[in-house]
Amino acid sequence: MMADEKHAANGAATPPDEGRTSPSTTSLEEQKSTKQPSIWRRAHEIITWTPPRCRWDPQKPPVFSMPLNVLFGFAGGFTVANLYYNHPILNILADEFNVPYEKVSQIPTVMQAGYAVGLLFLCPLGDLLKRRAFVCSLVLFTATMWIGLCITSSLPVFTAISFITAVTTVTPQLMLPLVGDLAPPIAALPPSQSWRNVYWFSLGVQYVIFALLWLFMPDYPSTNPGGLNYFKMLWSILVMLTKHPVLVQACIIGFFTTSTFTCFWTTLTFLLAGEPYNYSPLVIGLFALIGIASMFLGPVYARVVIDRFVPLFSVILGEGICLIGVVIGTYTGSFTVAGPVIQAFFNDLGLQTSQIANRSAIYAIEPKARNRVNTAFMVATFCGQLVGTAAGNHLYARGGWIASGSYSVGSIGCALVVCAARGPWEPGWIGWGGGWNIKKKDANSADGKTAEAASHMAARPAADVEQAKVNAGTADDGLEELAGEDGENVMRKTRHGADEKKASALDDTVTEDAPRPSAATRS
């Protein structure tokens, strides 16, 4: 009775022991609260952390400066070089693993297959995820897996790891919407050094790339902040191929053209390492420097030709340049080294010309799905590289240099047939509707037809638009507007019907909340 009264006096409605926390329970809770995060959680936090200067600010988007351009070019060039380090040392790898040339030539084939897989299943995520964390994660994973290539003595293990690293070596294609095409890679091996030194060098470079990207790559937002279903996103790539004839045409041309690239560079090693040349791996690797010479012509060619004429015209010129180089190299390379030198220069120049022009043609197709458009195009081109490597090795083993080179001649011929099947102004699948005019109708357009929307990281013509979107509570929609809709800038759409009401409301908000831009700013 006294206990109950005392308990009631204390204002408790439950027995004295009920509701109390035992010392053991408290200790467990404290342990949970002080428990250190797992190593994977800490790694995730480190990779996804963004330095303050790199964080996305919609009011002040990062400027794509020359240092950032150099960083992306360096990262993209040396990352994609992973696919080509083995080309000039295939004969050494054959001796190291004690297998015939035809066996070791499967390594570049497997790597190109892995790259195609990465293009198909990883690149579309660039339309969904923030590219900074995604790119840094891929580079770090690739560099860590690369250690296995540096130490293994087993050809099956080497081949398997090569495939895995090729899958994740797609970072240049994630940055392509920002920086365009990158330079071809270079690999060479001094005769007194081990082939593993090339791979150790690549390992160090990849960790340097990861550190530089982690420190300086801006945190660009997703072009689809509302989210997308991954499988529907993959399916949408196939849907694009049924909707856009220009994309299909570019993919087929890219398939045939790039097959000549790998057919040449893979079999070139065997030609130069044997009779009558017997060149060392260093000399063979130096042949890649020939491609650099064609790079210097790229800006001049772009200004004189690509900026003035429709993409298809530049594609045809590029195919013609490739054809000249392939014919000379194929039918003179077995007795004079001048043939492969000429082919290396003309093939790289023609391929670069064709690729840039094809990208210009497909750039404005679907601005909010540019990573998926790029995925469709690059999967086709790397399937071409895969076929070129396999066919070139097979034909070289059976008929030598002329047999493999003749395949390249036929591939360029097929590409030219596809070019002739559809004109630059034809809206359908086949024909030359719209005329034969090769000059662009809109000089400010990549495809020569209509001006594209500004990309989502570019500065807007006036800050008033962003302020209006914030005041209207449409920040999420604003990010999608920055990417554009159906190849047009939303702020410049023809206003009629329902769109007119929405645009008028936005203009009213701009008028009330921010100074109206001047006429010069609008223009």
Side-chain angles (χ1 to χ4, degrees):
M1 179 69 180
M2 293 295 293
D4 292 341
E5 290 177 356
K6 184 177 180 181
H7 181 60
N10 290 332
T14 58
D17 293 336
E18 192 172 328
R20 293 184 182 178
T21 303
S22 66
S24 61
T25 305
T26 303
S27 177
L28 290 174
E29 292 178 351
E30 291 177 352
Q31 291 177 6
K32 290 180 180 179
S33 63
T34 59
K35 184 179 179 181
Q36 295 295 327
S38 67
I39 186 174
W40 301 110
R41 179 66 179 176
R42 291 174 65 88
H44 176 268
E45 291 174 352
I46 292 173
I47 294 174
T48 57
W49 183 81
T50 305
R53 65 179 176 279
C54 298
R55 292 173 186 170
W56 173 258
D57 182 0
Q59 303 292 337
K60 189 179 179 182
V63 178
F64 194 69
S65 60
M66 180 56 67
L68 194 60
N69 199 341
V70 172
L71 171 61
F72 280 18
F74 172 77
F78 277 96
T79 300
V80 79
N82 294 342
L83 303 177
Y84 306 107
Y85 283 121
N86 56 70
H87 282 202
I89 57 174
L90 287 175
N91 57 322
I92 297 180
L93 292 176
D95 294 337
E96 173 75 16
F97 295 116
N98 195 26
V99 294
Y101 282 178
E102 193 172 4
K103 185 77 171 178
V104 81
S105 65
Q106 294 176 0
I107 295 174
T109 304
V110 167
M111 294 199 76
Q112 284 146 16
Y115 196 75
V117 170
L119 287 170
L120 181 59
F121 293 104
L122 294 183
C123 278
L125 293 174
D127 286 333
L128 180 61
L129 305 176
K130 291 184 176 181
R131 271 168 287 185
R132 174 189 158 85
F134 191 29
V135 167
C136 288
S137 299
L138 290 177
V139 172
L140 180 61
F141 175 84
T142 305
T144 304
M145 288 295 298
W146 199 264
I147 296 174
L149 296 177
C150 298
I151 63 177
T152 184
S153 299
S154 169
L155 179 60
V157 173
F158 189 93
T159 305
I161 297 177
S162 295
F163 176 82
I164 295 172
T165 54
V167 171
T168 54
T169 304
V170 293
T171 49
Q173 305 307 325
L174 294 169
M175 295 187 289
L176 267 173
L178 307 177
V179 298
D181 284 327
L182 298 169
I186 301 171
L189 179 65
S192 61
Q193 299 295 323
S194 168
W195 66 268
R196 296 183 189 273
N197 290 349
V198 174
Y199 281 80
W200 283 115
F201 166 79
S202 174
L203 174 67
V205 169
Q206 289 178 78
Y207 277 116
V208 170
I209 290 171
F210 166 74
L212 291 174
L213 291 175
W214 188 80
L215 288 172
F216 300 109
M217 183 177 180
D219 187 24
Y220 299 109
S222 167
T223 55
N224 294 276
L228 292 170
N229 180 278
Y230 177 68
F231 296 102
K232 288 183 178 180
M233 190 163 54
L234 292 179
W235 176 254
S236 69
I237 297 174
L238 298 178
V239 174
M240 289 178 189
L241 295 172
T242 65
K243 293 168 53 180
H244 304 293
V246 65
L247 177 59
V248 175
Q249 185 181 34
C251 288
I252 298 175
I253 294 171
F255 174 91
F256 285 115
T257 308
T258 55
S259 67
T260 67
F261 176 82
T262 51
C263 179
F264 169 73
W265 285 105
T266 303
T267 57
L268 179 67
T269 301
F270 303 135
L271 173 70
L272 299 180
E275 296 292 341
Y277 303 111
N278 297 311
Y279 289 158
S280 68
L282 175 61
V283 176
I284 296 173
L286 291 176
F287 268 72
L289 294 174
I290 299 170
I292 294 181
S294 65
M295 288 170 46
F296 293 105
L297 297 177
V300 177
Y301 184 87
R303 185 167 55 252
V304 175
V305 179
I306 295 180
D307 289 347
R308 298 174 57 192
F309 300 100
V310 293
L312 183 61
F313 177 71
S314 297
V315 171
I316 294 174
L317 286 181
E319 298 301 323
I321 294 171
C322 281
L323 184 61
I324 293 172
V326 170
V327 169
I328 294 175
T330 296
Y331 301 111
T332 66
S334 58
F335 57 85
T336 174
V337 74
V341 171
I342 293 173
Q343 182 173 354
F345 177 80
F346 278 81
N347 203 20
D348 277 17
L349 178 61
L351 175 64
Q352 178 182 332
T353 299
S354 176
Q355 292 289 82
I356 293 175
N358 273 324
R359 289 185 186 281
S360 298
I362 64 176
Y363 180 77
I365 289 177
E366 295 192 23
K368 289 174 64 178
R370 280 176 183 156
N371 277 282
R372 280 168 283 164
V373 172
N374 186 60
T375 294
F377 178 67
M378 291 307 300
V379 166
T381 58
F382 266 84
C383 284
Q385 291 197 19
L386 178 63
V387 172
T389 301
N393 289 328
H394 179 77
L395 291 172
Y396 188 90
R398 299 296 185 272
W401 176 254
I402 294 179
S404 62
S406 297
Y407 164 81
S408 295
V409 174
S411 293
I412 296 297
C414 291
L416 286 171
V417 170
V418 176
C419 290
R422 182 180 178 275
W425 309 107
E426 171 60 51
W429 293 93
I430 297 178
W432 280 74
W436 295 71
N437 187 13
I438 61 173
K439 286 190 175 182
K440 288 184 175 181
K441 294 180 179 178
D442 189 332
N444 297 320
S445 170
D447 63 0
K449 301 173 183 178
T450 55
E452 294 79 21
S455 57
H456 68 275
M457 76 289 298
R460 299 308 301 259
D464 312 306
V465 177
E466 184 65 37
Q467 183 63 42
K469 288 184 287 194
V470 173
N471 293 340
T474 59
D476 290 338
D477 292 337
L479 287 175
E480 296 184 359
E481 288 179 357
L482 292 174
E485 187 75 33
D486 295 331
E488 298 177 353
N489 189 315
V490 176
M491 301 307 298
R492 294 196 296 267
K493 273 188 175 181
T494 303
R495 297 171 179 176
H496 60 84
D499 290 337
E500 182 178 7
K501 296 180 180 179
K502 183 177 180 180
S504 299
L506 181 58
D507 286 343
D508 292 340
T509 308
V510 172
T511 304
E512 296 172 3
D513 295 288
R516 182 171 294 277
S518 64
T521 304
R522 291 179 192 166
S523 62

